[in-house]
Amino acid sequence: MRFNLLKQGLGLFFLLSLLVTSCKKYQDFEPIEGVDYNGEMAVPLVHGSITLQTILDDSDLDDELSSLVINPDGTMKLVYENNQITQRIADMYDEIPDFPLVIPENSVEVEVELFEDLEVQEMDLKSGTLSFELQSQYAEDIDVLITLPNFTKNGAVFNVSKTIVFDGTAPAMASIDPIDMTGYTMTLVDNKMQLFYQAVTGNGDDVEIFPIVGMAENWKYDYIKGSWNTDTIEIAKDTLDLPLYDNWVGGNITFADPQLSLVINNSFGFPALANIDQMRVITVDGESILLQSDELEEGVTLDYPSLMEEGVSKETVFSLNASNSNIATILNARPTQIVYDVSVIVNPENDGSTTGFMTDNSELDFAFKTELPVYGTASGFEIEEELEMDMEDLDNVKAIEFKAIVDNGMPIEADMQLYFLDEQDNKIDSLYTDFQQLVSSARVGDDGLVSETVQTISLVNFDEARVAKIKNSNKMLMGARFSTANGGATPVHVLTTHELGVKVGMKIKLKE
């Protein structure tokens, strides 16, 4: 029973309290039967050794938003990422309003503005129709050919023909049913479109008829090439949670080189600038601290695919560190959340000569990633964790003696305390008078690396009165204080190869 508590406590200790939400089960420790305790009845002991790598392999780090990255040299860093914020560019230019195409004479050039702040040079249609209404004032049949040279499909220019049949009533009317425009490419120069028609009598004479009126309806595109005017896209506000201090009670952890990176994947083929309009950190005390960075104030220039790279997404990473911001200060101020507001400026240089593209799938994906190298100091970092326990097995127990021997090859020490709680969560007893050091830090050199393993022996006795008292407890509150070597004065490296050796025994005296 007590060793289960020790295991959970060590599970928190192993990762510098960064993973307190996961309780590990260390199957590498094997029970030993029949240990001689001078005639006392001994329960199974456990002993063995375990490395941090083994613990990580058995851990519950399955949250896709956080991970522990292990470098080839055994050093580690804890990485927290938020869900990506995705801005689909086509959503900003989603609807093409239905619009007329009027051909008042045999040849005309008209201006077509499909979008505000976007000059379309080329557009591939994936749906939509084009229909026409025709009138003739002539008392005879008129053959009409409509040609739109700005529209091509498979190399052929758009044209459609229709005969206006004179039925004795003037003006004579005719309609061209909606034509499917799927697969057509529309090409414009300075937003200009050319429209032609040829009207011919039965004798072959060219004539002019009343204006032909066309109607473009339900147009959708899958590709646009063009030039964008300067415009600001508001992306979103979001929050990145940092669970380091979920169970925090007191003390500090200081990371020697924390970093915060903005990662942007961009499949929009045009110059753009990302702005972090606001970023602040909320600490465990509820304090709000603004991020400060001269480089960030200038914005982040995004890499983007060229006209020949349709379907390609380019990644831009902007990292904030101690040299270009106050990120080290705020990430060492016990943060629980990072709140930020992001916007994007399209064509920030207002360069009208630049040509780019977008598809119906072009998007900007934003994510923030916090990297905390497991290299630094901890001083009196205290957490609490509530544990469910069953004390029914103590009915026939008169006294308990618990002994643990820990050979620690990790540069961290741990003081532990365990409170026994009743159903109202009142503390009815504690394992120790005060916090007890169960794990002493391994010795480290000036480089922060372990130089020597250190052994700690702890012994706890429960007499009959204490056993009777804790039988009324059905849960416990575990407290743990962690510090790095030398009381947190020396920055240390925690490596996956660090090993912890444990020997645990318990002997009990039963009631007669």
Side-chain angles (χ1 to χ4, degrees), residues 178-197:
I179 300 166
D180 185 6
M181 297 300 290
T182 301
Y184 275 92
T185 296
M186 180 184 71
T187 304
L188 303 177
V189 178
D190 296 329
N191 285 331
K192 298 294 196 308
M193 179 187 299
Q194 292 179 316
L195 309 173
F196 296 95
Y197 79 84

Side-chain angles (χ1 to χ4, degrees), residues 106 138 198-201 203-208:
N106 295 95
Y138 297 99
Q198 183 180 23
V200 181
T201 66
N203 296 325
D205 297 328
D206 289 331
V207 296
E208 289 191 359

Side-chain angles (χ1 to χ4, degrees), residues 227-483:
S227 179
W228 279 258
N229 295 330
T230 300
D231 191 20
T232 299
I233 302 174
E234 298 295 335
I235 303 299
K237 292 182 178 180
D238 200 13
T239 300
L240 172 60
D241 292 321
L242 301 175
L244 273 68
Y245 292 86
D246 284 353
N247 298 69
W248 177 81
V249 176
N252 292 287
I253 293 179
T254 301
F255 298 94
D257 186 25
Q259 295 190 31
L260 177 66
S261 297
L262 170 61
V263 182
I264 306 170
N265 286 287
N266 176 27
S267 55
F268 172 41
F270 203 79
L273 184 77
N275 275 334
I276 310 302
D277 298 318
Q278 180 185 198
M279 178 178 288
R280 56 193 173 91
V281 167
I282 308 300
T283 72
V284 71
D285 300 316
E287 183 182 3
S288 178
I289 305 176
L290 284 176
L291 177 70
Q292 298 174 352
S293 170
D294 292 339
E295 292 185 21
L296 198 58
E297 290 181 3
E298 298 173 1
V300 180
T301 300
L302 304 185
D303 197 4
Y304 63 94
S306 69
L307 285 170
M308 304 302 294
E309 294 179 308
E310 179 186 346
V312 174
S313 182
K314 294 294 185 73
E315 183 179 78
T316 302
V317 179
F318 180 78
S319 293
L320 294 164
N321 50 51
S323 65
N324 63 7
S325 70
N326 66 336
I327 192 64
T329 299
I330 63 177
L331 286 182
N332 284 320
R334 302 191 300 273
T336 60
Q337 290 182 321
I338 299 176
V339 182
Y340 56 90
D341 188 359
V342 181
S343 64
V344 170
I345 300 176
V346 178
N347 193 6
E349 300 297 329
N350 197 23
D351 184 359
S353 65
T354 301
T355 298
F357 77 92
M358 72 174 179
T359 71
D360 54 344
N361 292 318
S362 291
E363 59 187 25
L364 292 165
D365 292 328
F366 290 82
F368 276 95
K369 179 169 64 174
T370 302
E371 299 183 16
L372 302 172
V374 186
Y375 170 57
T377 64
S379 177
F381 184 79
E382 184 177 344
I383 61 164
E384 287 185 348
E385 181 88 357
E386 194 171 278
L387 308 171
E388 298 291 335
M389 296 299 294
D390 183 2
M391 298 297 183
E392 292 181 0
D393 292 339
L394 297 181
D395 287 342
N396 297 319
V397 175
K398 183 177 182 179
I400 303 173
E401 182 182 86
F402 170 83
K403 184 177 184 179
I405 303 173
V406 178
D407 293 299
N408 184 22
M410 300 184 184
I412 308 169
E413 60 190 30
D415 297 343
M416 310 291 293
Q417 177 61 287
L418 189 70
Y419 301 100
F420 297 88
L421 308 179
D422 61 17
E423 293 182 355
Q424 287 74 41
D425 291 338
N426 297 314
K427 297 176 182 178
I428 59 178
D429 201 353
S430 61
L431 191 62
Y432 307 106
T433 303
D434 199 353
F435 274 74
Q436 176 79 19
Q437 188 173 88
L438 295 185
V439 181
S440 298
S441 170
R443 294 185 177 88
V444 299
D446 294 337
D447 56 3
L449 297 174
V450 171
S451 61
E452 185 180 354
T453 298
V454 171
Q455 185 178 90
T456 307
I457 300 175
S458 59
L459 187 67
V460 178
N461 287 290
F462 278 75
D463 59 19
E464 187 171 2
R466 292 193 72 189
V467 171
K469 191 175 183 180
I470 66 173
K471 282 197 320 181
N472 298 319
S473 175
N474 61 0
K475 54 186 171 181
M476 303 179 188
L477 183 67
M478 182 189 69
R481 291 176 184 164
F482 304 96
S483 297

